[in-house]
Amino acid sequence: MGGYSTIDTATGREAPAHVSEERVKAVFTEIAEQYEQFNHASSFGQDRRWLERLVGLANITGTSRVLDVAGGTGEVTFAICRLRHPAHIMLTDYTPAMLEVAERRIQAGENRSVPVDTMVVDAQDMPFDDDSFDVVTMAYGIRNIPDRPRALREIARVLKPGGTVAILEFSTPPLLPCRLFYRAYLKWGIPAWGEHFTGKRDDFVYLSQSIQAFPRQQEFAQMMASCGFQDVKYENLSFGAVAIHTATAC
Ligand SMILES: C[S@@+](CC[C@H](N)C(=O)[O-])C[C@H]1O[C@@H](n2cnc3c(N)ncnc32)[C@H](O)[C@@H]1O
């Protein structure tokens, strides 16, 4: 089990799972329609570059069956369609309102004829058979999950042995000046962008808190290694403001 317990994802402290689960569904239901605009503006356009690197590290080929966990409005899924054209993508998320945006994007042809199915799924308890997928991707999802080891074990279970997981998440810049700047941006910048696009400042205060409460790169790598993965590596992007962890399922 790795000694972890259910946490409040805003603080990292132990709490019943429903505290985080109810909040995350409420937050992403409220901001689903403006989510992509917010992401693009608040990252100063870097989100596209981060996604492309995630896709590049995920070992996706034309025959891959891919699971996108906490896939939201489909940002990762459609980047994969654009850059790799795999055999199939299962796009899953906990919040139906986020998937509704993704479904409109499929109808608009953003899947570029790649077969994409959507399903409401809790990453901590997935309805897929063991060894179902070649690749699992997750961007900005694991931070919102109260039992992260359980979600990671689920990912390891549904991946084929030797399959790749690639997880993009906000992280902690190792250099002190970058870290101080980033903390200030999280405290004032992110809620301000959020208020500008959605009028829901509190939802973005939560996002900032959850980023600051998320484990550092090395600690998260250790969590992955204790949950059924080998060859765990990470790569910092934008001075470590985000990191991509990759690993293979045992
Ligand atoms: C910041 S969004 C990221 C969406 C997308 N991956 C992207 O790159 O834009 C986080 C997503 O995680 C989802 N999520 C939170 N908890 C989850 C859980 N337990 N299982 C599956 N998805 C979850 C939320 O509903 C939300 O859509």
Side-chain angles (χ1 to χ4, degrees):
M1 296 284 290
Y4 300 96
S5 54
T6 307
I7 55 161
D8 176 344
T9 55
T11 63
R13 289 196 281 274
E14 277 186 39
H18 72 84
V19 171
S20 299
E21 289 167 351
E22 286 162 17
R23 179 180 51 219
V24 89
K25 195 169 271 189
V27 165
F28 286 102
T29 299
E30 281 192 336
I31 70 175
E33 297 294 330
Q34 296 84 23
Y35 169 77
E36 288 157 23
Q37 279 175 294
F38 160 79
N39 240 8
H40 195 52
S42 64
S43 69
F44 302 101
Q46 293 302 298
D47 55 334
R48 303 258 156 84
R49 190 172 68 85
W50 299 337
L51 275 185
E52 285 176 10
R53 187 65 186 144
L54 177 74
V55 175
L57 290 172
N59 280 333
I60 300 167
T61 69
T63 58
S64 299
R65 302 191 72 78
V66 180
L67 172 64
D68 187 15
V69 177
T73 63
E75 290 287 78
V76 177
T77 288
F78 299 122
I80 294 170
C81 294
R82 194 171 71 247
L83 298 166
R84 288 290 185 274
H85 215 278
H88 184 263
I89 304 178
M90 179 61 77
L91 165 55
T92 63
D93 197 272
Y94 189 57
T95 306
M98 293 289 275
L99 287 180
E100 282 162 22
V101 176
E103 281 154 11
R104 291 205 302 269
R105 294 178 71 180
I106 294 170
Q107 280 157 20
E110 284 195 58
N111 55 320
R112 295 167 188 246
S113 78
V114 174
V116 176
D117 288 309
T118 64
M119 194 187 288
V120 176
V121 169
D122 181 349
Q124 300 160 116
D125 185 15
M126 296 201 273
F128 305 118
D129 291 339
D130 297 0
D131 308 344
S132 295
F133 299 96
D134 302 292
V135 176
V136 173
T137 54
M138 175 154 49
Y140 319 116
I142 192 73
R143 173 174 44 85
N144 292 294
I145 294 177
D147 193 340
R148 293 166 186 152
R150 186 170 161 193
L152 291 171
R153 285 193 300 272
E154 275 293 84
I155 292 170
R157 179 184 69 75
V158 302
L159 266 175
K160 294 175 185 169
T164 302
V165 62
I167 299 178
L168 169 65
E169 190 51 87
F170 292 106
S171 203
T172 305
L175 291 176
L176 183 64
C178 299
R179 197 156 63 239
L180 293 176
F181 175 82
Y182 187 49
R183 275 195 200 136
Y185 184 64
L186 289 175
K187 186 162 183 195
W188 291 292
I190 292 291
W193 277 117
E195 186 162 30
H196 172 72
F197 281 110
T198 70
K200 314 270 185 207
R201 187 180 180 87
D202 287 352
D203 291 349
F204 295 87
V205 170
Y206 160 70
L207 290 183
S208 287
Q209 289 171 333
S210 68
I211 291 169
Q212 291 179 83
F214 191 69
R216 292 189 180 195
Q217 291 85 332
Q218 189 57 39
E219 192 186 340
F220 185 60
Q222 282 162 3
M223 190 188 289
M224 289 180 73
S226 71
C227 291
F229 293 103
Q230 58 192 11
D231 302 326
V232 181
K233 300 186 184 80
Y234 66 84
E235 179 176 309
N236 285 328
L237 300 175
S238 299
F239 302 100
V242 299
I244 298 173
H245 285 72
T246 55
T248 50
C250 299

